Structure formats: C-alpha cells, structure tokens
Amino acid sequence: MKTATASWTRKHLLGLQELSAEEITMILDQAAEFQEMAARGEPKIDALSGTVVANLFFEPSTRTKMSFSLAAKRLSADTLDFTAAASSLSKGETFVDTARNIEAMGVDQVVVRHATSGAPLLLSKKLKASVINAGDGMHEHPTQALLDLFTIRQHRGSIAGLTVTLVGDILHSRVARSNIWALKKLGARVIVCGPSTLIPPHIEALGVEVSNSLDEVLSETDCINLLRIQFERQRSAFFPSIREYAHFFGMNGDRIRKAKKDVLILAPGPINRGVELTPDVADGNHSVILDQVTNGLLVRMAVLYLIHQRRQLSADEHPERSHQGTITGATT
Amino acid sequence: MTTTLIRGGRIVDPSQGIDRVGNLLIRDSRVASIDSNTTVADHLIDATGLIVCPGLIDIQVALREPGNAEDETTATGTAAALAGGFTSIACLPDTSPAIDNRAAAEFVFLLADRARNCNVFPLGAVTKGNNGEELAEIGQLVEGGAVAFSDGKGPIVNAEIMWRALEYTRMFGCAVFNTPCVPELAKTGVMHEGYYSTLLGLPAIPAAAESIMVSRDIALAARTNGRLHLSCISTTVSIELIRRARSKGVQVTCNVTPHHLALTDAALQSYESNYKVDPPLRSQEHVNSMIEGLKDGTITIISSDHQPWAEEKKDREIDLVPSGIVGLETLLSLLIETLITPGHLTWPQLIEKLTTGPAQVLGIQKGTLQIGADADVTLINPNVEWTIDVSEFRSKSRNTPFDGRRVKGRAEKVLISGELRYDLGQSQVGPAPRASQVSRTSPK
C-alpha cells in the first residue's frame, strides 16, 4: 500500500465543507488504489481485521447501507447493522443512548444515517468511536459526493474546469450540499438548477450559479447530476405536479440531443424513472449511474481505511490514553 | 418599625427621572426617602460603587409548575429570578394544567408565598387549555390575580380569537400577549431562514412568519383599541410595523430578549440545541434593528423569556428538542455586554426597560422608588467580572448557550418589601439555600 495515509488526520468524516482539496483528493486516490487492486483480482484485504464497524441507520436506506456494509467486509472488519425500525428507539430510548449502547460492544467506527441535520456531529461529541456521516437530514452526504467526484474523474480525468449542473430539489438535498463543497474545492464550475421553490436562499454565497431553466444550461454542462425528488420530505406543494416537474427538469432523449456530445448523466438514486429522467436516459450510453454504485463501494472502503489508519496511529502515540479510554468507556 | 439605609449608591430611578448618588431609606416595607441624612438605621448597606434601582421586573418567565417540576418549580425559578436581580416576575400560563381559571391563578400566589423569594404575577390563559379555540374565563382570572393574558409560547393562530380577546380584555384594562408566528410558514423550522440555514441544511423559519402576524395583531389592536403586547420580537419588519403603529396611537408594546441581541443565526453552525430558541436567532441585520428599536423607544421592555428544560429534553437531535433557554440569571450581564458597553443605551435607559416598561404593560404598582412605594430594590455591581457557570445556577435547568462566557456586572443584593432576600456576597456555590434561610439573612 502507498503511504498517502501519513497525512490523513481526521478522526471523523462529518462533511466535505471542512475538508481541503488535498484531503478530498487523498480519499479519491485511495479509492483508485482499491479499484486497481480489485482489477488485479484482490477485492478483499485484511486491513481492518479485528475492528468493528457499526452501521447505524436511523432513516431508511438500501444502497448506502449495503455499500458501507460490504466496504467494511472487504476490509475484513466485523460489521453490526442497525435499523431504526428494528430498534429500541420505539421503546423510547434516545438516539445517543442507542449509539452509546452499540458502541459499548467495542465498535471502532460508526457509520450514521439520520433524518436530522447535525446528528452525526452530535454523536461525534458523545462517542469515542469515529463517526462517518452517511447522510444527515438536508445537510451533507459526503460519501455520495465523493463517489460522484470519483465517477466524474474516472471518465474525465480531472474535476477542475468542468461545469457540473445539479438539477432538482436543491433545498432538501444533502447530496447537493456535499457536491457543491467538493466540486468547488476541486475547481469545478457548479450550476444549481431547479424550480425556484426548491432553490434555497443565499445559495449563491456557496459559490454556485443558479438557473431555473435546464434547457438554458444544457449546452454548457459537462456533467448533469439529477437529484431525486424527495417525496418523503415534501410536506407541501413545491411544484404543481410531477408531470410539470418532468416537463421542465426531467432529463429525456430530446435534452440529451441538445446537450454536449460527451455529457455525463449522474443520479444519486434511488431514481424515479419518468420523473428525474426517462428510462432511455437512465440506461443510455451517457449514463454512469451504475458506475456510481460500483464506485460507492470503493470510496467508502477508502474512508473506512484512512480513518482506521489514523486511529492506529493515535493509538500508537498514546497507548496509555486509549487504554484509559477503554476503562472509562466500560464504566460509564 | 424597622429601617434599612442603603448608603452612597448611584440611585437610578427612571420613573422619577433620577440618576444621582443618594441614600435610600426604607421604613418597614416602603421607600421613605432617597436623600436621607440619617446615619442611624436598623440595617445599613454600603452601596458605594453600586447602582441602586427599583427591583427589576420580568414580564415573561416559564415556571413550569404545576406539571413539569423536572424543568423548574416556583421555588427554583423565583430563586433564579432573585439571583438575576428581579423582584417581580410574570409567569406564563402554559403549565399543565394551564392557568386558565381563577383557582389556577390563585395557586400561583400560593406557590410564590411558599417559596418566599420574589413577587410572582400570573399571566392568565387567553384560551381554555391554551388551545386557541375558546376564550378562558378572563374576568375571573383577573379576580384571581392575573395581570395580563397569554397563550404561552404558542401564537394565537385564530384571528377571530385574537380579535375577541383584545376586545374582551379591554373591560379589565389588561394586555393580551402574543408571540407572533404564522405556523404554516414556520412549520417544523428550527432556525432563521437565511444563508446559515442553507449552509447547514436545517429547516428554516422565514422572518415573514413573524412580521405577518405582527401586522395582523396591530390591525386588530387598532380596530378594538385593546392593549396588545407582542412578545419576543425579532425581525426588522416587525419593529418597523410596531414603530409606525405606536406613532399612530395604537396601544402596542413589545419586548426583545437578551439572546436575540447577543447572538445571531451563525451560532447554529455548532448544531447545539441551546441555540434553538423561539423566535429563532436572526441575522445581524435584524439584531441591528432591535438595537435601533431599543434606542428610539419602540421597544420598551426587555424580558429573559426564561424557558427551563430538563437536560434529557435538550440533549437530543435539534429538531426534537423544545425551543428556548433559561435566562433569568444571565440577562443583566448580557444586556451590559450588548447595550451598555457599546454605548447603545445609558444605565437609566436600560433600567427603564427592566422596571417602568414591564410594570406598565403588566399594570402593576412596581418598578419605582417613589416615596411610599414597595421597597423592592436591586443593587447592581456594574463592573464586577465573572464567568457564567451553569453549575451555580439556582434555576433547576441549565439549558443556556452562555455557560463559560466571561461577562461583566451582576446583581449584588436584592430587597423585597425592604427585606434582603438575595446577597451575592453570602450566596453559596451549589444549590440555592432554602428560601426561608435566604429571607432570614440580615444585613450586617
């Protein structure tokens, strides 16, 4: 293995806002290394052998949870999977208490998905384990943005200088926020495009351009990321109908023909076929949606791996502290 | 006959336009003189270097009793009030059960008498159970001692109920309090809508949610000639609307809280639940409008909006925690920091908003050192530096974002009807002494 890990210093991955371009690149490079290893027929390594990764999903998720779970297994960690539905939350236990109880089983890294923005930050202040944000409310979804960037880089070589348009529900989207941070840091031009009701105020202050017309920005866009319309978050009418949304913001064959010849179509999923994009686009040759899923595994392996390396390093530097920590952890 | 002489303090009494060094003589429970030449009294208090003013009044405090003693009780809440320099507080009716009938109002006085800390005046519920549907028995609440009406922290949503309440309370000369917020705009928001809500991805409440209801209530106050008090105002447009209404003679008052002056929505970047307050912390532009409103007299009252919550209720995900923070024990220091030190208000102007302003909206004979008035007196040390430490709070709850903040100035002694009820120099670190011990403490 390369020694890029020497400069990874973070205990947690809570968001991409606080990461530098170098740190983001470090994760992408590590993921690329796992990609090469997999191509050589070595999909599994024993780097995290003997450690425990807990997937705490307080909000429904299929692919992110499976992806994190498999990523941990590929690194030979033991995994614990938790879903809110099958939990003691329904018995009145608080989210922090649930997490502490699971941590007490000897967990090293906690992957957390939660409907409340800031919940992973709260957890990081209460646990000794490392916390990885697998999506919090409308705030950030760092590994999703990392896999989006990895996929773009895979197809285009680099991020800098590209124009990336995020389409759809920007207001409620944690994917949008993480993408904006990472893309801007790596030198992309970012356009957010959607109905005015789903563009939050002051978004320009994050360094993006705003458009309400997908047709107008198509010709200047290198990558289109079609954010999911989050029916479950929309308590009231942000747009008149699905049909009208698809009419203005849905990606279809006509729009593909107006777009750049080599435009990339990304979608974080799960996709609503016929809403954000038509099946011919989803399955067409501009679509890299399934690459995204494959790459998701690689970036999540990279994140777990880098954080594990950092934990090893700090345990070596402060063995007595980590010992005391264990004792305290057991008695509180 | 018992006499107490408070010597050599800077006597600041906005009700009489007084700001000068003097000797305040209290005979029995009343003010006898502020220019006393006597040197002999049963109790002598040296007030050199201190501000001596009418006891401070807070118009909106949640005491949580009956129903939620895990957050606060009348005994702990009034002890906190004393430590903050308050001699009188008005308590919110959103208890469980609500203070929506005469017996419930009288129960507030019973609890306050038992606690023997500061004076407590109940705010009666505007509607039965604070549910916003039917008027409570407002006249009988007045007979039971309610001084004004409120439905607690929740807004009075139904415009007709607000209209009738303003009209009906006019018979009793009482004000109706409302915390303006259009619920269909605020929804489940946890913070102010602006740059930071976009950055943080937190559900947001637009400023218009407040200003729209301010506008509605002013129109209803003008229509009814009732007395309207808008609680905890926080937006630029709200202040502009209230300023204009007051200039046209509408009977409308409003207050701000210290935390809406000391903090902005930028504080939410920590996602700490103690920054979730109602109304939400606004941007600097709105804070500046509040300061302008205080300076030009549009805002006549400052209230802590003391909202105690037990730790288990606040130590959760931010969208699940209730809004509000404790404020009685930090109000004075925060106002010195935000208003006196930068030169926005003079001491007499600040004390006016903590004495005569509150007394006027509650319609109580307090907030003055006129001869013959109840000798409710607060002695403030304006310069002492200290660090806010929640472990020393007398309040039962510790939900404040100001723990550990280095501040200046605090109440040093508090007298209620001439009796020394709080003395910083003799207060112990840790739990508050029992009320009876405090009340028996004699000045040296």
Side-chain angles (χ1 to χ4, degrees):
Chain A
M1 305 291 291
K2 286 179 199 163
T3 53
T5 56
S7 46
W8 181 264
T9 55
R10 291 179 189 273
K11 182 181 176 190
H12 311 288
L13 180 68
L14 302 176
L16 299 184
Q17 184 188 352
E18 60 262 32
L19 261 54
S20 66
E22 292 68 32
E23 287 173 307
I24 292 168
T25 303
M26 204 182 301
I27 298 171
L28 300 180
D29 289 348
Q30 184 62 54
E33 197 173 324
F34 287 132
Q35 189 179 35
E36 285 166 25
M37 289 168 63
R40 289 200 302 267
E42 305 165 35
K44 185 160 179 167
I45 61 171
D46 62 358
L48 267 65
S49 174
T51 74
V52 180
V53 175
N55 288 307
L56 309 189
F57 279 66
F58 296 90
E59 192 186 60
S61 157
T62 308
R63 94 187 53 201
T64 304
K65 188 174 166 186
M66 287 172 66
S67 181
F68 264 112
S69 190
L70 183 57
K73 290 184 170 87
R74 283 278 159 95
L75 297 168
S76 303
D78 294 322
T79 58
L80 282 173
D81 282 345
F82 166 95
T83 35
S87 77
S88 48
L89 287 182
S90 50
K91 297 174 192 161
E93 189 175 60
T94 68
F95 140 75
V96 171
D97 281 332
T98 300
R100 278 179 170 153
N101 274 277
I102 293 168
E103 184 190 38
M105 298 177 195
V107 171
D108 301 282
Q109 301 194 51
V110 169
V111 176
V112 62
R113 156 75 59 96
H114 200 290
T116 302
S117 301
L121 175 64
L122 174 64
L123 214 52
S124 73
K125 294 175 185 170
K126 307 279 183 181
L127 300 185
K128 293 183 182 68
S130 290
V131 174
I132 296 167
N133 182 359
D136 63 328
M138 312 185 302
H139 177 223
E140 284 225 40
H141 190 350
T143 58
Q144 176 66 46
L146 289 166
L147 73 88
D148 292 343
L149 265 72
F150 186 88
T151 306
I152 294 170
R153 202 174 76 160
Q154 178 186 12
H155 287 273
R156 287 301 166 79
S158 86
I159 305 293
L162 296 177
T163 296
V164 180
T165 300
L166 306 170
V167 180
D169 181 355
I170 310 299
L171 174 64
H172 298 103
S173 177
R174 52 195 174 213
V175 177
R177 283 170 180 78
S178 286
N179 259 283
I180 289 168
W181 293 120
L183 289 166
K184 294 299 296 178
K185 283 170 201 282
L186 294 195
R189 172 186 173 219
V190 180
I191 301 171
V192 295
C193 178
S196 46
T197 46
L198 291 174
I199 305 282
H202 304 284
I203 189 83
E204 303 87 348
L206 305 191
V208 303
E209 296 161 49
V210 174
S211 168
N212 298 128
S213 167
L214 180 55
D215 290 320
E216 277 176 18
V217 298
L218 266 182
S219 62
E220 40 191 301
T221 297
D222 298 297
C223 307
I224 297 177
N225 200 338
L226 298 162
L227 304 175
R228 190 169 62 92
I229 289 298
Q230 303 188 44
F231 295 105
E232 75 274 16
R233 282 186 206 285
Q234 293 187 5
R235 297 150 303 153
S236 50
F238 285 91
F239 49 84
S241 67
I242 293 292
R243 190 167 61 181
E244 178 151 319
Y245 179 84
H247 176 69
F248 287 111
F249 299 101
M251 201 63 202
N252 53 35
D254 282 347
R255 289 203 166 104
I256 285 284
R257 281 185 282 282
K258 290 184 207 153
K260 285 192 175 184
K261 291 284 164 282
D262 56 352
V263 68
L264 293 181
I265 302 294
L266 296 91
I271 58 173
N272 302 305
R273 282 177 184 256
V275 182
E276 299 95 1
L277 71 176
T278 51
D280 54 323
V281 176
D283 306 327
N285 53 15
H286 294 276
S287 168
V288 293
I289 294 172
L290 293 177
D291 289 349
Q292 288 176 272
V293 180
T294 310
N295 295 337
L297 179 66
L298 302 172
V299 299
R300 288 175 181 124
M301 284 174 73
V303 168
L304 290 168
Y305 178 77
L306 291 172
I307 288 176
H308 170 73
Q309 296 288 93
R310 186 267 183 204
R311 290 180 69 85
Q312 294 282 91
L313 219 60
S314 61
D316 290 346
E317 282 165 17
H318 310 284
E320 66 295 328
R321 192 199 291 171
S322 85
H323 179 60
Q324 283 168 355
T326 312
I327 290 169
T328 317
T331 52
T332 48
Chain B
M1 192 180 81
T2 309
T3 55
T4 302
L5 183 65
I6 303 172
R7 282 193 306 199
R10 174 183 170 188
I11 297 180
V12 178
D13 180 6
S15 76
Q16 305 180 77
I18 288 169
D19 179 8
R20 63 168 185 266
V21 172
N23 300 316
L24 177 68
L25 181 68
I26 297 165
R27 186 169 294 126
D28 291 331
S29 61
R30 296 183 181 278
V31 175
S33 168
I34 57 166
D35 293 304
S36 177
N37 295 323
T38 188
T39 51
V40 184
D42 300 323
H43 305 294
L44 286 176
I45 297 174
D46 179 12
T48 309
L50 304 183
I51 289 170
V52 178
C53 65
L56 309 184
I57 304 169
D58 197 329
I59 62 161
Q60 179 162 315
V61 171
L63 291 178
R64 300 269 186 262
E65 200 174 24
N68 289 95
E70 69 277 21
D71 299 328
E72 195 78 284
T73 64
T74 303
T76 57
T78 53
L82 275 182
F86 294 97
T87 54
S88 294
I89 59 175
C91 64
L92 284 166
D94 54 355
T95 47
S96 138
I99 303 171
D100 63 358
N101 61 77
R102 180 176 179 152
E106 288 173 344
F107 183 61
V108 170
F109 289 105
L110 175 70
L111 291 173
D113 282 348
R114 279 186 194 156
R116 245 182 102 69
N117 288 317
C118 70
N119 303 305
V120 180
F121 296 93
L123 299 173
V126 176
T127 62
K128 289 177 184 139
N130 292 315
N131 65 13
E133 286 164 17
E134 280 179 83
L135 288 184
E137 291 170 344
I138 285 172
Q140 294 189 56
L141 277 159
V142 170
E143 289 184 348
V147 291
F149 291 85
S150 158
D151 263 355
K153 287 298 289 178
I156 297 165
V157 176
N158 184 316
E160 189 196 359
I161 291 286
M162 190 64 189
W163 173 21
R164 304 300 179 199
L166 283 164
E167 199 135 51
Y168 194 77
T169 50
R170 211 183 53 203
M171 291 196 294
F172 308 99
C174 294
V176 177
F177 286 32
N178 195 18
T179 306
C181 182
V182 176
E184 54 270 38
L185 296 181
K187 289 212 163 129
T188 53
V190 303
M191 72 175 293
H192 172 62
E193 184 195 53
Y195 168 72
Y196 287 103
S197 66
T198 292
L199 184 75
L200 300 171
L202 285 171
I205 302 170
E210 175 178 306
S211 313
I212 288 169
M213 198 176 278
V214 165
S215 181
R216 180 200 78 170
D217 286 357
I218 286 172
L220 293 171
R223 155 67 182 78
T224 58
N225 205 27
R227 287 180 60 201
L228 170 65
H229 178 77
L230 293 162
S231 290
C232 306
I233 291 306
S234 65
T235 80
T236 299
V237 175
S238 298
I239 290 294
E240 287 168 357
L241 289 165
I242 294 163
R243 183 179 290 126
R244 181 165 169 275
R246 285 173 64 87
S247 76
K248 292 191 178 297
V250 180
Q251 295 194 74
V252 54
T253 52
C254 65
N255 71 276
V256 285
T257 78
H259 44 280
H260 287 96
L261 302 174
L263 299 169
T264 68
D265 58 345
L268 270 297
Q269 288 178 94
S270 68
Y271 289 97
E272 286 288 337
S273 62
N274 280 329
Y275 293 112
K276 182 181 174 186
V277 294
D278 176 26
L281 299 173
R282 304 288 184 186
S283 60
Q284 189 61 49
E285 165 215 341
H286 293 287
V287 174
N288 295 344
S289 298
M290 296 305 113
I291 290 169
E292 277 312 304
L294 286 161
K295 286 165 80 169
D296 73 13
T298 302
I299 304 168
T300 54
I301 300 161
I302 304 173
S303 161
S304 70
D305 188 28
H306 183 78
Q307 294 291 329
W309 296 109
E311 186 184 345
E312 65 270 20
K313 296 181 186 174
K314 269 299 214 190
D315 192 18
R316 302 203 60 184
E317 299 96 309
I318 196 161
D319 53 356
L320 297 180
V321 301
S323 296
I325 59 174
V326 291
L328 286 166
E329 294 171 83
T330 53
L331 171 134
L332 199 50
S333 304
L334 293 173
L335 295 180
I336 292 169
E337 177 186 317
T338 54
L339 298 174
I340 297 286
T341 304
H344 297 313
L345 294 186
T346 62
W347 270 104
Q349 286 170 330
L350 175 61
I351 287 169
E352 192 173 7
K353 295 180 199 300
L354 297 169
T355 56
T356 47
Q360 187 249 336
V361 73
L362 298 176
I364 57 175
Q365 303 299 310
K366 294 283 184 185
T368 178
L369 296 177
Q370 279 177 349
I371 291 168
D374 293 342
D376 293 355
V377 187
T378 299
L379 277 64
I380 298 168
N381 184 333
N383 296 315
V384 60
E385 291 191 18
W386 61 293
T387 302
I388 295 170
D389 179 354
V390 292
S391 70
E392 293 180 9
F393 277 5
R394 282 148 192 268
S395 170
K396 203 165 179 181
S397 288
R398 273 91 223 270
N399 52 308
T400 175
F402 299 112
D403 186 32
R405 195 178 184 99
R406 191 80 187 145
V407 290
K408 202 171 89 166
R410 68 194 299 186
E412 197 154 299
K413 289 182 171 60
V414 177
L415 292 84
I416 308 268
S417 296
E419 186 182 6
L420 186 67
R421 293 270 177 95
Y422 175 77
D423 187 347
L424 176 65
Q426 295 183 10
S427 69
Q428 303 292 313
V429 174
R434 292 183 56 84
S436 57
Q437 292 170 343
V438 174
S439 65
R440 281 183 202 132
T441 305
S442 297
K444 306 248 156 45

